[in-house]
Amino acid sequence: MPHQPGTWTREEIAVVDAGAARRSIEGTAIGNFMEAYDFTLFSLVATILAQKFYPGENSGTGNLIATFGTMTAGFVVRPLGGVIFGPLGDRIGRKPVLVVTISLMAVCAAATGVLPVYHTIGLWAPILLTVIRVAQGLSSGGEYAGAMTFIAEHAPDHKRGMMAGFLPVGTLAGFVVGATLVTGLQTALPSADMLAWGWRVPFLLAAPLGLIAVYLRSRIDETPDYEEMHARHEETSARKQFRQTVVEQWKPLLICLGVELAVTDTSYMVSGYVPTYLKKTAGVADTAALVMVLVVLAILTVGVLLVAMLSDRIGVKPLMWTGCGLLIAVSIPAFTLMRFGGTYPAKFGGVLLVGLPMLFLSSLEPAILPALFPTNVRYGAVSIGFNIAVSAFGGTTPLLAESLVTGTGNAMMPAYMLMFAGVIGAVTLIFAPEVAGKPLLGSRPSLHRGSGGTGGKTPGVGAGALPGRGGAGYTQPGPFDDSGGG
């Protein structure tokens, strides 16, 4: 990345505390874990929920559609959750809102595990289940966007990609743990026991997980960017805040939507639809299909952090372009292998191929989105743009893919969907700024303690250069180097 002239005094550079950085990662990644864990549980026990919460005690088409409709209701209200929690986070602070969203999320997941079924309370069972999913969707509307905002504002400029990379690690770990737990229960328990009570166990585990999450959130420090903004006592009416958040941010909001289309279409295709495709179209047994996806997600859990760290050195946009290019190049070969691969290893190769673009896109999503917006509207704008995209492009991906395959008779339609998403993402990135190594909009440059100094003036930082690459006196510290004076 080219160095641009510019210097900052030590007093003008924000010094990031290593302990606060660690706590910010722990406190935010646990929320991503909880959200992905809950989504995975609901998806994988959907056939059981169809029997327990709807008339007839069966998992026929009508009950299964009703169950997925209940899940979809949570996605539909996500933008509303973003509108509620995002601007609130810009008004009262990131930390209190994130404590509320994680608490609500944990309560909803645990409540699902104790909810009476249709045989016990009749129509109140599906009604209460829908209410819980709606509340869950509202909390999700403020959760990931808030986590992205929080971690971005706590990270030093030259380590923002790496720190943000822990968020998709939490998400992927939630997918893996949730799926592993359900698979383990289905293997260990007789079908009758799984139907009677076994399905409740993973949801009930959300209660202790939620307590841990709330504890971790209670230990995080409010972000320096928000505290500096709040100290200026800038009073803003709701109308003015809406104009600043939406009307004045129309261009970065469009960039957010375009980038997120590529990211969310890929991630929900892999985690939400590929298992169904393997079973229905490729003729793979249920357990084998789930294991294939689980192994790919486990590989991605490790890989996303490596890509995130690489982005701090070579930039976010080149790596995201790589992900979009892979969507265009490998989608057809991937689904062809899944359909026609004669052995399980060949079919697994197809799943791994379709997961490869996700490695580059999901890992960098939390690095680029918050950097598009200034501090005073960051939480709200990210929440609105991100959740509209997830609601429109993510939650609908499995339904749209299956509808296209059924309606057209063409089993390659999911591949075409991913290729389209890759094109949109690639074109959108042309208009997006490079954000690696640069201060967030409206923020001072920031470094970890021990990142060096030149005796009063620090060349390059905040002017578009990566610390350590633009001037003498810089060292590349470890991820949480707390040595030295800053």
Side-chain angles (χ1 to χ4, degrees):
M1 280 169 284
H3 172 69
Q4 299 174 11
T7 59
W8 299 85
T9 66
R10 283 178 175 268
E11 291 74 19
E12 292 172 323
I13 297 174
V15 179
V16 178
D17 177 73
R22 287 194 190 94
R23 292 191 297 273
S24 70
I25 290 173
E26 295 168 352
T28 50
I30 188 68
N32 295 73
F33 177 92
M34 289 286 295
E35 183 178 351
Y37 175 81
D38 172 79
F39 170 79
T40 303
L41 296 185
F42 198 96
S43 299
L44 295 182
V45 301
T47 55
I48 294 177
L49 297 177
Q51 298 177 65
K52 305 298 289 186
F53 286 91
Y54 293 92
E57 297 187 359
N58 65 74
S59 56
T61 302
N63 282 9
L64 199 55
I65 289 175
T67 303
F68 281 118
T70 298
M71 184 172 69
T72 301
F75 282 96
V76 170
V77 300
R78 281 186 69 133
L80 178 59
V83 169
I84 294 171
F85 289 115
L88 190 63
D90 288 326
R91 280 180 170 272
I92 70 172
R94 283 60 162 131
K95 177 180 175 177
V97 173
L98 284 171
V99 171
V100 170
T101 57
I102 194 65
S103 301
L104 182 58
M105 189 175 295
V107 167
C108 289
T112 303
V114 298
L115 199 60
V117 297
Y118 186 87
H119 180 72
T120 305
I121 59 173
L123 286 175
W124 280 108
I127 291 172
L128 290 175
L129 183 63
T130 303
V131 169
I132 288 173
R133 297 315 300 177
V134 167
Q136 186 82 323
L138 290 174
S139 66
S140 297
E143 174 57 38
Y144 196 26
M148 289 190 284
T149 299
F150 192 89
I151 205 79
E153 293 182 347
H154 262 292
D157 297 336
H158 65 303
K159 294 287 184 181
R160 187 170 295 114
M162 181 274 293
M163 285 185 60
F166 281 96
L167 296 183
V169 168
T171 299
L172 289 164
F175 284 136
V176 171
V177 172
T180 301
L181 188 55
V182 172
T183 304
L185 285 168
Q186 288 177 333
T187 303
L189 294 177
S191 298
D193 288 346
M194 188 66 186
L195 181 63
W197 57 268
W199 66 271
R200 295 184 183 273
V201 174
F203 288 106
L204 292 174
L205 287 176
L209 285 173
L211 291 176
I212 295 171
V214 172
Y215 168 72
L216 291 174
R217 287 264 163 107
S218 69
R219 297 176 65 245
I220 60 179
D221 302 327
E222 184 57 84
T223 71
D225 287 9
Y226 175 80
E227 288 184 331
E228 288 186 11
M229 181 188 73
H230 185 66
R232 294 195 292 267
H233 301 291
E234 298 177 356
E235 295 294 333
T236 304
S237 66
R239 184 173 182 177
K240 182 179 179 182
Q241 186 177 19
F242 174 81
R243 188 180 73 250
Q244 291 176 333
T245 304
V246 179
V247 179
E248 295 178 7
Q249 302 299 321
W250 66 269
K251 182 178 178 180
L253 278 172
L254 288 177
I255 293 173
C256 178
L257 287 170
V259 168
E260 193 57 32
L261 167 61
V263 176
T264 197
D265 202 34
T266 307
S267 59
Y268 279 91
M269 185 71 77
V270 173
S271 62
Y273 182 67
V274 166
T276 299
Y277 188 87
L278 286 170
K279 289 181 284 187
K280 291 188 63 176
T281 306
V284 177
D286 286 7
T287 302
L290 189 56
V291 168
M292 287 182 191
V293 175
L294 266 177
V295 172
V296 169
L297 291 177
I299 293 171
L300 295 181
T301 303
V302 178
V304 292
L305 192 56
L306 298 177
V307 173
M309 294 172 68
L310 183 61
S311 73
D312 288 321
R313 294 188 173 275
I314 69 172
V316 169
K317 286 178 66 172
L319 292 172
M320 293 203 82
W321 261 319
T322 300
C324 292
L326 285 170
L327 279 179
I328 299 168
V330 308
S331 293
I332 289 178
F335 280 88
T336 300
L337 274 174
M338 280 187 266
R339 287 179 65 200
F340 300 116
T343 62
Y344 275 179
K347 293 180 183 296
F348 173 76
V351 180
L352 188 60
L353 266 183
V354 82
L356 190 59
M358 186 176 169
L359 177 65
F360 291 90
L361 296 172
S362 294
S363 59
L364 302 173
E365 171 191 40
I368 191 171
L369 297 190
L372 297 173
F373 305 99
T375 306
N376 64 318
V377 298
R378 184 171 294 127
Y379 196 159
V382 173
S383 294
I384 292 169
F386 171 78
N387 285 294
I388 288 176
V390 171
S391 181
F393 311 131
T396 60
T397 292
L399 177 62
L400 181 58
E402 180 61 21
S403 298
L404 288 172
V405 170
T406 303
T408 64
N410 187 342
M412 299 305 293
M413 292 306 295
Y416 302 148
M417 287 176 59
L418 291 179
M419 293 171 70
F420 174 77
V423 171
I424 296 297
V427 171
T428 301
L429 285 168
I430 296 173
F431 304 96
E434 177 56 72
V435 300
K438 298 181 180 180
L440 297 172
L441 291 174
S443 302
R444 294 185 292 157
S446 60
L447 295 172
H448 271 304
R449 289 195 182 100
S451 293
T454 55
K457 291 285 184 179
T458 301
V461 183
L466 280 172
R469 299 176 66 182
Y474 265 55
T475 60
Q476 284 288 357
F480 298 110
D481 186 356
D482 199 20
S483 61

